[in-house]
Amino acid sequence: CGLPSGGTLDSGAGMAEWSKKIENKVLKRDPYMLAPDISDHQRVDKFVSSKRSVGYDSTFGTVTIPYFMAGIDNRLVRRSIALRGHSASYDEAMSAGSIARIAGFLALHAPSVVGNLRPKAGDGPPEAIRKNGYFTLETKAENENGEKCTVYVRGQGDPGYQATSAMLAETAMCLADKNLDEGASEEDLDHLKGGVLTPSTALGKELVNRLEDSGLFSFEVKA
């Protein structure tokens, strides 16, 4: 739960304009836009997101609606998958319950919301929303053998600003750690050779540990 900043809204408007250009229409529809060199057998997703309308998701047992960040998040996750050389499908959406929670959060912070409906570039959510915001992610995975795993990621603070600021700071500290590769597997080290990496491929478990130690985030794995 949180609110967008003026810069985020302006970026969204810029992306909308970019997508209208004829020369960008094919790229706009490419689910692997951030992994252009991916092999054919890894191209398992046909759409940027298949969650394009309200519907029931049997995997999660709930009604879902399209998530406005899926167009970005899905491509980033697919780049991580591609960098690891894996073949896996990925998609995300919002649960119907999350809409109710967001509505309740905004109602509790009505004065801050009303005074911040369209922030200017450089302005962001009020302090109360940055401090009291939060997020919960539930990710389910299943391999070709039918083995399943669920991961819950929880964070305190406005997801786009306070929580993201903490993530950026911990990522910087992680990159500066000279002992980053101690205990890492050969597969993990192989992704540290260079290029445009993602947080998970460059920093892996070490970043997860730092985020948990900050006291602002938790990661729960259930097999």
Side-chain angles (χ1 to χ4, degrees), residues 71-93:
I72 296 174
D73 294 349
N74 287 359
R75 287 176 167 123
L76 287 171
V77 172
R78 288 173 190 138
R79 178 161 184 82
S80 293
I81 293 172
L83 288 171
R84 287 190 169 89
H86 295 168
S87 176
S89 178
Y90 180 82
D91 206 349
E92 62 185 31

Side-chain angles (χ1 to χ4, degrees), residues 109-120:
H109 296 81
S112 297
V113 174
V114 172
N116 199 68
L117 292 177
R118 184 51 174 100
K120 298 178 181 179

Side-chain angles (χ1 to χ4, degrees), residues 51-85:
K51 308 290 187 179
R52 292 177 284 184
S53 62
V54 177
Y56 181 76
D57 190 311
S58 58
T59 300
F60 289 87
T62 186
V63 174
T64 63
I65 65 172
Y67 180 40
F68 66 95
M69 287 294 292
I72 296 174
D73 294 349
N74 287 359
R75 287 176 167 123
L76 287 171
V77 172
R78 288 173 190 138
R79 178 161 184 82
S80 293
I81 293 172
L83 288 171
R84 287 190 169 89

